[in-house]
Amino acid sequence: MKLSSSYLQGVLTEIKSFQLFQGYSLEQLEKHCLGAEVLVCKHRERLYEFGEVAHRFGIVLSGAFKLSRSTPAGEDAIMHFSPPGDVVAAFIMAQPQPRYPVSVIAMGPSRFLSIPRQTYLDTWKKDIELISRIQNLLSTRMNQFYSQKAMQKAPLSARIAEFLLNFSDKSTADEFDIRIPLTRKEIADALGVTVESVIRIMSDWSKNSFIQTTEQFITVLRPDKLLEFMQIE
Amino acid sequence: MKLSSSYLQGVLTEIKSFQLFQGYSLEQLEKHCLGAEVLVCKHRERLYEFGEVAHRFGIVLSGAFKLSRSTPAGEDAIMHFSPPGDVVAAFIMAQPQPRYPVSVIAMGPSRFLSIPRQTYLDTWKKDIELISRIQNLLSTRMNQFYSQKAMQKAPLSARIAEFLLNFSDKSTADEFDIRIPLTRKEIADALGVTVESVIRIMSDWSKNSFIQTTEQFITVLRPDKLLEFMQIE
DNA sequence: CGTAGCCTTGAAGGTGATCAATGTTTGTGG
DNA sequence: CCACAAACATTGATCACCTTCAAGGCTACG
């Protein structure tokens, strides 16, 4: 599934628009993509497995991926959702013999630019600006953890509200779209609770038209109402 | 509380022994500590406040600090415990106008080497090896989060077991010492549960001599027993 | 000597888990 | 193209675990 160089050009212009590479030239990007391949993944395809030695890292081109781990009970615990433009496993590339700290699974048809670890060591690691931007991504991710952890003792409704608002696209004014197709099960796995509990709360919100689900995509119609759930109750 | 240069020399040799600075010369360290001061903190003293603009970061010299946030209900949610050698707030220094993502509070009498943000931008940021090591620290911290999140649905006894074993000093063979003075309240705040629940489980373990508490320090006498709680139940 | 923080124990109550059953959608192979 | 399986969504009943509330004791510290 290696890519021809003409195809690579298209990918380069694609990733050029990502936050991470703001201001980078195509030549620079080409160096950073040495040995890269585009992986076209189907829904639920497993890209990396938790515990495997990590020879590659990469960037989400389209679709989305979930980063998760199995619990002792054999269930899934989702750590993070990676939208297009997000880097996956770049943080651990500098370690001597890195192993994937999570499994990476496609959510719906997705594309991923897979880059060999050696390229990280050769070019990424020496690009201070890039490292710095990746560190910012990591620290954003860490902050999401913090916000969720701060709400651990709050009732489930508050935690789901926080979760949904966190994932919302705040660009539009009143309504918030969630650009990743999330199932109730995935929300449950991300919060460490059961599907049934999530459904009970969210179907309540659906009935009251606070949220809406059309074809896997959730829209928050009344963010103000969800905020109420976060604070008081 | 600025330090005289002779005093600084002592601090430099002190931090030279930390993992983070393995192989660094005193001259290099001196550059990285431009404008640094040693802060001597009393128990429960608050070093940084959540949300404040971050002008400084630093390294824990002795004692320990907890990084926490307030929950909407006014309680504490502890995100991380920083032992000597750990860096605090270094990850966010590269951001345009960084704000502390957590409050930093001393646990027992502690000392902290506080360094101005400008020094980070001038010298730390340009030291690729150092940045890389800090990224490893961050990724270790992230991994702790992952492990805890993977156990969210497990019974509380399993989560406390995981927590205690995670903090143990594995250097000694059979017994594990926890080098940070942890109160039951702090364990509760770190796990997002109530003190009472933690006490009920831990006093049970104390009665069975699985653990022992002497002067704020907890020793795991029977790590094998705690492991059992983690897995099956 | 009094207050503040921490530890402990007990009783009662609620939130979310578990179990079970059924419907719906999606994807796959004959 | 249909049949079947697998994943996802939904609802109800019961139950357990952890929380909440209350009260009391202990130690450290100004």
Side-chain angles (χ1 to χ4, degrees), chain A residues 167-186:
Chain A
F167 273 82
S168 300
D169 182 6
K170 278 97 178 176
S171 55
T172 45
D174 291 343
E175 301 180 5
F176 292 173
D177 276 342
I178 294 174
R179 289 146 303 173
I180 297 179
L182 283 175
T183 68
R184 318 276 143 142
K185 177 110 183 56
E186 280 161 344

Side-chain angles (χ1 to χ4, degrees), chain B residues 141-187:
Chain B
R141 207 179 280 191
M142 190 73 98
N143 249 309
Q144 281 179 27
F145 266 96
Y146 287 168
S147 318
Q148 271 192 30
K149 192 153 191 180
M151 305 213 56
Q152 252 186 325
K153 288 181 81 169
L156 186 50
S157 53
R159 295 170 57 200
I160 299 180
E162 192 271 343
F163 179 84
L164 291 181
L165 291 176
N166 196 3
F167 273 83
S168 301
D169 182 6
K170 277 97 177 176
S171 55
T172 46
D174 291 342
E175 302 180 5
F176 292 173
D177 275 342
I178 294 174
R179 290 145 301 175
I180 296 179
L182 283 175
T183 68
R184 319 277 142 142
K185 177 108 181 57
E186 280 160 345
I187 296 174

Side-chain angles (χ1 to χ4, degrees), chain B residues 52 57 70-71 74 82-83 120 134 167 174 214:
Chain B
E52 273 179 0
F57 71 108
S70 298
T71 67
S82 284
Y120 181 92
I134 290 178
F167 273 83
D174 291 342
T214 47

Side-chain angles (χ1 to χ4, degrees), chain A residues 74-110:
Chain A
E75 294 165 323
D76 267 5
I78 299 180
M79 305 298 169
H80 183 75
F81 297 95
S82 284
D86 206 13
V87 291
V88 172
F91 327 116
I92 56 164
M93 286 296 113
Q95 293 168 15
Q97 168 121 10
R99 290 174 177 277
Y100 294 116
V102 287
S103 299
V104 180
I105 303 165
M107 306 166 71
S110 304

Side-chain angles (χ1 to χ4, degrees), chain A residues 48-115:
Chain A
Y48 302 138
E49 207 61 45
F50 165 72
E52 273 178 0
V53 176
H55 295 298
R56 301 190 140 250
F57 71 108
I59 302 166
V60 179
L61 294 174
S62 63
F65 291 83
K66 55 180 169 186
L67 316 188
S68 72
R69 250 190 219 191
S70 298
T71 66
E75 294 165 323
D76 267 5
I78 299 180
M79 305 298 169
H80 183 75
F81 297 95
S82 284
D86 206 13
V87 291
V88 172
F91 327 116
I92 56 164
M93 286 296 113
Q95 293 168 15
Q97 168 121 10
R99 290 174 177 277
Y100 294 116
V102 287
S103 299
V104 180
I105 303 165
M107 306 166 71
S110 304
R111 285 159 55 250
F112 185 82
L113 185 65
S114 165
I115 306 172

